[in-house]
Amino acid sequence: MDLEQQEPVQIETGVGFFDHMLTLLARHGRFSLIVKVEGDLAVDAHHTVEDVGIVLGQCLKIALGDKAGINRYGTSFVPMDEALGRAVLDLSGRAYLVFDATFDNPKLGLFDTELTEEFFQALAFNAQMNLHLAVLYGKNTHHKIEALFKATGRALREAVTFNPEIKGINSTKGTLA
């Protein structure tokens, strides 16, 4: 993961739909991301998806360092045809996930749609960020999940962007641990 470069984006998890979602996350977040996973897909995709969330969260935390000069907060609403997704986040150093989405289709290819929440839980807790996600409306499961990944990428871009008007850490405590 490189927050200052947009290329390359190369995703190989063995789970096609998840590869598509991670590509969207990186492209809309405008960051470089290389992911190559050899998981236990003979069982199912759960560990692969969760472990990618863990590692991406850890990479994000390391890439941000002390977080000096970044906006810290990010918000994005993304429409995907009939669906509307929202992501609001705070790179506060405190981990929390609010996930408000339901999916009528339980599986998209090899991807169990309940793994969407598992991925974002792992990402939020390992990056130590507050992440609030919601599908405000929609019918198509693919569109709803896609809106969440795109919105999260866009909110991350806003949050990690350096702002020259911010002197030091964007916190009254002086730290975002």
Side-chain angles (χ1 to χ4, degrees), residues 4 20 25 40 44 75 83 104 111 114 149 177:
E4 297 183 24
H20 178 45
L25 179 74
D40 57 353
D44 67 13
T75 302
D104 293 331
F111 186 82
E114 68 182 7
F149 273 84

Side-chain angles (χ1 to χ4, degrees), residues 2 4 15 20-21 28 52 78-79 103 108-109 116-117 123 128 131 140 147 157 177:
D2 185 339
E4 297 183 24
V15 182
H20 178 45
M21 294 302 105
H28 285 266
V52 169
V78 170
F103 308 118
L108 296 169
T116 306
E117 184 172 3
L123 178 70
Q128 294 184 320
L131 179 58
N140 182 288
R157 171 48 46 202

Side-chain angles (χ1 to χ4, degrees), residues 114-152:
E114 68 182 7
L115 295 178
T116 306
E117 184 172 3
E118 294 291 332
F119 169 77
F120 285 117
Q121 176 85 14
L123 178 70
F125 274 69
N126 286 277
Q128 294 184 320
M129 71 171 143
N130 273 218
L131 179 58
H132 294 248
L133 298 174
V135 172
L136 301 175
Y137 47 82
K139 293 180 182 175
N140 182 288
T141 298
H142 183 125
H143 295 164
K144 293 195 282 187
I145 295 171
E146 187 166 333
L148 290 178
F149 273 84
K150 287 178 176 179
T152 301

Side-chain angles (χ1 to χ4, degrees), residues 64-71 161-163 166-170 176:
L64 291 172
D66 69 0
K67 304 175 189 168
I70 65 167
N71 284 323
T161 296
F162 181 79
N163 183 337
I166 297 171
K167 305 301 180 211
I169 309 294
N170 194 6
L176 294 171

Side-chain angles (χ1 to χ4, degrees), residues 5-51:
Q5 300 291 325
Q6 294 186 43
E7 295 290 336
V9 175
Q10 300 169 352
I11 313 295
E12 296 177 39
T13 67
V15 182
F17 180 78
F18 188 48
D19 291 356
H20 178 45
M21 294 302 105
L22 292 174
T23 299
L24 295 171
L25 179 74
R27 293 281 187 216
H28 285 266
R30 295 193 310 276
F31 56 85
S32 172
L33 183 62
I34 299 173
V35 177
K36 181 159 178 56
V37 179
E38 293 181 24
D40 57 353
L41 294 179
V43 176
D44 67 13
H46 184 102
H47 294 125
T48 296
V49 172
E50 184 177 36
D51 289 351

